[in-house]
Amino acid sequence: MGVDQETMLEKMEKGFDPEQVIEEFEALTKDAKRVQVETLKKILKDNGEAEYLKKWCLDGKTDPESYSSCVPLATHKDFEPLIQQIADGAPYPILTGKPITTITLSSGTTEGKRKFVPFNDELTETTMQIYRTSFAYRNREYPIGNGKALSFIYGSKQFKTKGGLLAGTATTNVYRSEQFKKTMKEMQTPCCSPDEVIFVPDFHQSLYCHLLCGIIFRDEIQVISSTFAHSIVHSFRTFESVWEELCFDIKTGTLSTRITVPTIRTAMARILRPNPELADKIHEKCLSLSNWYGLIEELFPNAKYIYGIMTGSMEPYLKKLRHYAGGIPLLSADYGSSEGWIGANVNPTRPPEMATFAVLPHIGYFEFIPLRDTGAGSPDHGEPESQLIRVEPRPVGLTDVEVGEEYEVVVTNFAGLYRYRLGDVVKVVGFHNSTPELQFICRRNIMPPINIDKNTEKDLQLSVEAASKLLAAEKLELVDFTSQVDLSSDPGHYVIFWEVSGNATDEVFQECCNCVDLTFIDAGYVSSRKVQAIGPLELRILKRGTFQKILDHYVGLGCTLNQFKTPRCVGLVNRPVLQILYDNVVKSYVSSAFGKGCRVCE
Ligand code: AMP
C-alpha cells in the first residue's frame, strides 16, 4: 500500500466503503516506517525542482538520513519571505515543483498574527483522507442513517494576493472544494444549510440561519458539528438569546429583518414555510428546560453525536457542551492545522479528554523533537539563552517515538513546508499498529517566562479549572479566560482575565485569585513566587460580552468563527486584544497567596 497508488479522487469515483477505508488504514499503519520512507521520497521527487530544496544540495537524494542531514529544521519565520514571494507571483518554483495557486491564512489566534501557508490540491486530498478515516471508525460505533448535519461552518472572505493567488482560511479552501461536498454526501451527512448561508461575510447572520435550518430539518439532523467545540458552544449560547425570534420566523414563515444579505434571504425563502406546530413545539421545549440543560437533545431528537475538536484549548468548553448535549455523546475530531493534517481519532468512544490521534503515515513526513531535557529551544519566541543548553534538537522518526514521552511535532507536507516546526506539544500514549497515537498537550511557549518559570498553556488551563470550581459552588460559570504576562511591574507577574456568567462576592473572587496562583505546579514558578522574583498574580474580572468582542475582532481580521481559538496568553504585539481586555475590566484582585499565612510558604 503506497502513496503512489490510486488517488483519493479515483477512489471516490468508485464510491465510499467505510470497511475498505479501515482495511487500508490498518495496512498503512502496520507498515508505517516504509510508508513514511515512500511518502518522503514522493514529496522530494515531486518537488525536486523547488529552489528551497536545491539550496540544501540534496542532489536527488530522497532517503530520510540525507534529508535530515542536508535540510535544516525551520519555523514559519524561515518560510515567511519565501511564501511572500509566492504570494507576490514569483514565476519560478520556490517551494514546490508545481506552482502554488492558493494561500491559506491561519487563524492567527495564537500569536496575534495571521500566517500565510501554501495550499494545494494535495492538502485537500489529505483532508478528505483524514475525514473518511475517522468517519469509518466512528461509523462502526455510532452508525448513522441517511440524514443531515447541522454544521456550524463558515467560509471566510477570499481575496487575491498581489501575484493573483487566491487566499482564504484553510477551512474555506476546503469547504469550497467539490471533494468536500462529495465526501459529506458519502458520509450521509450533508450540511442542512444552503451554501449561501455558509459563504457570507457576516457570521452573525450566518449563525442565525444555521440555527434556523437546523430546527426546520430537526428530525433529519443526525450530527451536530463544527471544527472546534468553541463554535458549537457559542452557537447554542446564541440560541439562548434568539430562540423566540427563531420560533417567530418558523411560525410565520418570514425571515427576521436581522438578515440583510440578499443571497441568504433568497436561499432561506426556498426553505422557510409557516409551521406553527413546529414553532409551538420548540417554544414549549425551550420553556421547559432548566437552565438549558439538554437543549441539543431536545432540539434534535435523532442526533447520534456531537462532533468537533474538543481537546487542547477546547477542553474548557466541554462542561458547557455536556450541559447543552444532555444524553448525546461528544466525539472529539481529528488533529491538524492550516499546515496540514496529522492524526485521526480512530477510538471515538473515548471521552474527549482522553482522545488520541493515530498519525496517518502517508499524508506527510513526520518527525518529533523530544522535549525531555533536550534544550530544544523555542521555535519562535526565543527563551533566554542562560536557561538552555544550546544544542541543535535531534528529532526522531515517526516510528521511533517512545510511549510516555512528549515531543514537538515537525511536519514535511505536500505543499512546500520542509521540516517545519509546528509548535505543538504532543505526548505519545501508545501505538496503533506501528503508527503512534498522540495526545495533544498544548501549544509551545504560549506563556513567556518572567524568571525561571516554565508554565505552559496546559498549566494555565489546569489552574483556572481548579479555581473555577469555586465559582461552580456559587452556581456561576466561567465563560472564558485568557492571560497576560505583565513585565511592566517589577517583578513581573501574571494577569488572568475572566469573564463570568454573573456576579460573585469579593471574597469568592479573591479566593479564586489565590487559588489560580497556588495551583501552578511548575517548580520554577512556585520558587520564584516564594522569593518574590515573580509578583503576586492578578485576577481581573471582565464585563459580560468581552470575549464576544475579541471574537468579533478576529473575525473582522478575516478569521472564521469555526477556526477561532481564544488566545490563552496575549502578548504586547497583540495590542488591539489587550486594549479590549483593559477597556472591559470591572474588578481586579491581587493574590494574597505566598504571603504571610500562606499554606504553601509556612
Ligand atoms: P490553525 O492555525 O487555525 O490552523 O490551528 C491549528 C492549531 O490548532 C494546531 O496547531 C493545534 O495547536 C490546534 N489543534 C488542531 N487540532 C487539534 C486537536 N485535535 N486538539 C487540540 N488542538 C488542536
Side-chain angles (χ1 to χ4, degrees):
M1 195 81 43
V3 285
D4 293 327
Q5 286 200 337
E6 51 181 357
T7 66
M8 201 57 214
L9 265 172
E10 284 161 349
K11 280 178 193 158
M12 278 157 56
E13 300 300 323
K14 292 183 190 164
F16 174 53
D17 173 2
E19 285 308 313
Q20 195 194 336
V21 171
I22 291 179
E23 221 174 273
E24 284 171 12
F25 182 72
E26 292 297 320
L28 285 164
T29 52
K30 275 180 188 147
D31 207 5
K33 192 169 182 139
R34 192 180 64 79
V35 175
Q36 277 284 274
V37 173
E38 270 184 51
T39 305
L40 178 65
K41 190 169 161 188
K42 178 159 173 48
I43 293 174
L44 297 181
K45 268 194 166 168
D46 286 356
N47 302 300
E49 287 309 304
E51 299 221 325
Y52 185 80
L53 286 179
K54 280 191 179 162
K55 176 171 117 184
W56 299 114
C57 305
L58 269 166
D59 300 330
K61 293 190 283 290
T62 59
D63 61 290
E65 292 71 28
S66 306
Y67 180 57
S68 57
S69 60
C70 296
V71 179
L73 291 168
T75 67
H76 189 269
K77 271 197 191 121
D78 300 306
F79 284 104
E80 209 168 69
L82 304 172
I83 300 172
Q84 194 59 53
Q85 284 177 37
I86 295 172
D88 290 347
Y92 41 89
I94 295 177
L95 290 171
T96 50
K98 271 194 293 182
I100 292 285
T101 54
T102 312
I103 295 280
T104 277
L105 280 137
S106 75
S107 62
T109 44
T110 309
E111 286 151 29
K113 189 170 158 246
R114 304 193 72 195
K115 290 183 292 191
F116 272 22
V117 181
F119 185 86
N120 60 11
D121 289 346
E122 280 82 353
L123 287 193
T124 309
E125 206 164 300
T126 53
T127 305
M128 296 312 124
Q129 188 89 44
I130 206 145
Y131 281 2
R132 289 163 147 246
T133 305
S134 54
F135 175 80
Y137 284 89
R138 213 159 57 240
N139 206 46
R140 266 188 176 174
E141 308 291 341
Y142 305 92
I144 52 177
N146 254 326
K148 288 186 170 28
L150 169 54
S151 302
F152 295 103
I153 56 176
Y154 308 86
S156 67
K157 277 180 244 164
Q158 284 180 308
F159 64 93
K160 286 268 170 90
T161 65
K162 190 174 148 198
L165 278 73
L166 203 60
T169 59
T171 44
T172 305
N173 293 338
V174 169
Y175 299 153
R176 284 209 181 267
S177 70
E178 279 311 308
Q179 288 105 303
F180 175 73
K181 280 190 198 142
K182 195 159 182 216
T183 306
M184 291 303 117
K185 251 190 216 147
E186 286 172 339
M187 293 178 188
Q188 297 164 312
T189 48
C191 180
C192 69
S193 310
D195 272 5
E196 291 85 344
V197 167
I198 299 170
F199 299 105
V200 205
D202 181 342
F203 86 88
H204 296 283
Q205 297 194 29
S206 193
L207 169 53
Y208 184 88
C209 291
H210 275 315
L211 290 169
L212 197 53
C213 292
I215 298 171
I216 293 169
F217 296 110
R218 71 187 286 259
D219 290 328
E220 291 170 64
I221 301 294
Q222 304 252 326
V223 177
I224 289 96
S225 72
S226 190
T227 314
F228 288 106
H230 170 273
S231 154
I232 309 178
V233 168
H234 181 270
S235 304
F236 288 99
R237 277 196 209 279
T238 305
F239 180 90
E240 286 187 32
S241 55
V242 299
W243 68 277
E244 284 173 297
E245 210 170 321
L246 291 167
C247 287
F248 182 82
D249 289 2
I250 293 168
K251 189 170 216 146
T252 58
T254 53
L255 188 60
S256 161
T257 51
R258 69 163 72 218
I259 308 302
T260 56
V261 179
T263 48
I264 309 191
R265 293 200 70 88
T266 311
M268 290 304 294
R270 288 197 290 268
I271 298 171
L272 193 58
R273 297 279 171 274
N275 190 342
E277 200 187 322
L278 174 61
D280 289 347
K281 196 185 271 177
I282 301 297
H283 199 272
E284 211 174 287
K285 283 187 183 295
C286 289
L287 288 181
S288 71
L289 293 173
S290 159
N291 195 22
W292 301 101
Y293 177 82
L295 171 64
I296 301 180
E297 194 175 18
E298 285 299 325
L299 290 179
F300 309 108
N302 297 315
K304 301 286 187 298
Y305 52 82
I306 297 167
Y307 186 63
I309 292 172
M310 298 175 189
T311 34
S313 65
M314 294 297 130
E315 273 182 42
Y317 308 110
L318 279 175
K319 193 167 171 225
K320 188 70 179 173
L321 192 53
R322 286 202 169 98
H323 181 86
Y324 283 137
I328 303 181
L330 306 186
L331 273 56
S332 196
D334 309 315
Y335 171 36
S337 68
S338 302
E339 291 87 343
W341 286 96
I342 296 153
N345 179 1
V346 297
N347 299 298
T349 52
R350 285 191 192 153
E353 291 87 346
M354 311 288 285
T356 58
F357 310 101
V359 181
L360 272 69
H362 58 311
I363 60 171
Y365 180 72
F366 300 100
E367 295 168 88
F368 296 84
I369 300 175
L371 292 178
R372 192 181 41 173
D373 300 332
T374 58
S378 158
D380 266 334
H381 303 273
E383 287 137 61
E385 285 288 329
S386 58
Q387 289 171 29
L388 297 167
I389 314 151
R390 282 272 159 211
V391 285
E392 177 64 10
R394 279 175 178 243
V396 296
L398 179 76
T399 51
D400 301 319
V401 293
E402 284 176 37
V403 173
E405 293 301 320
E406 290 188 4
Y407 298 88
E408 182 189 334
V409 181
V410 178
V411 177
T412 296
N413 72 9
F414 282 93
L417 297 179
Y418 304 96
R419 309 198 79 208
Y420 177 96
R421 293 178 73 167
L422 198 57
D424 285 345
V425 178
V426 295
K427 185 174 185 170
V428 176
V429 290
F431 281 87
H432 183 98
N433 297 319
S434 59
T435 201
E437 287 203 8
L438 311 175
Q439 191 175 45
F440 183 88
I441 302 294
C442 59
R443 304 271 310 160
R444 266 201 100 182
N445 304 308
I446 292 296
M447 303 184 72
I450 297 173
N451 185 33
I452 51 164
D453 46 315
K454 284 190 179 152
N455 279 319
T456 64
E457 182 184 23
K458 180 91 184 169
D459 295 319
L460 173 68
Q461 200 167 299
L462 291 173
S463 293
V464 165
E465 192 185 310
S468 66
K469 289 200 176 114
L470 299 167
L471 289 178
E474 305 291 308
K475 301 221 173 336
L476 291 170
E477 75 186 66
L478 182 63
V479 175
D480 218 333
F481 68 95
T482 187
S483 71
Q484 181 202 1
V485 171
D486 186 347
L487 298 173
S488 65
S489 61
D490 188 19
H493 68 289
Y494 290 2
V495 183
I496 311 293
F497 297 89
W498 275 15
E499 183 178 326
V500 179
S501 61
N503 213 353
T505 59
D506 284 341
E507 289 70 35
V508 170
F509 279 140
Q510 182 62 55
E511 214 184 322
C512 290
C513 177
N514 293 356
C515 183
V516 180
D517 202 6
L518 283 170
T519 44
F520 281 112
I521 51 163
D522 167 54
Y525 182 78
V526 177
S527 59
S528 302
R529 281 286 289 118
K530 280 187 188 169
V531 298
Q532 306 289 318
I534 294 181
L537 178 143
E538 235 185 301
L539 175 66
R540 299 190 192 163
I541 308 299
L542 301 165
K543 270 187 213 148
R544 281 305 308 269
T546 305
F547 281 96
Q548 175 68 49
K549 288 182 191 159
I550 292 175
L551 170 62
D552 288 341
H553 162 77
Y554 280 107
V555 171
L557 294 178
C559 166
T560 58
L561 181 55
N562 44 235
Q563 249 176 289
F564 176 79
K565 298 174 276 305
T566 299
R568 293 297 182 215
C569 187
V570 185
L572 278 181
V573 288
N574 207 344
R575 201 70 228 166
V577 173
L578 278 183
Q579 203 55 53
I580 297 173
L581 292 168
Y582 294 164
D583 290 348
N584 286 280
V585 173
V586 286
K587 284 181 190 173
S588 96
Y589 301 85
V590 175
S591 168
S592 53
F594 295 97
K596 272 212 163 88
C598 168
R599 62 188 155 88
V600 174
C601 311
E602 293 180 359

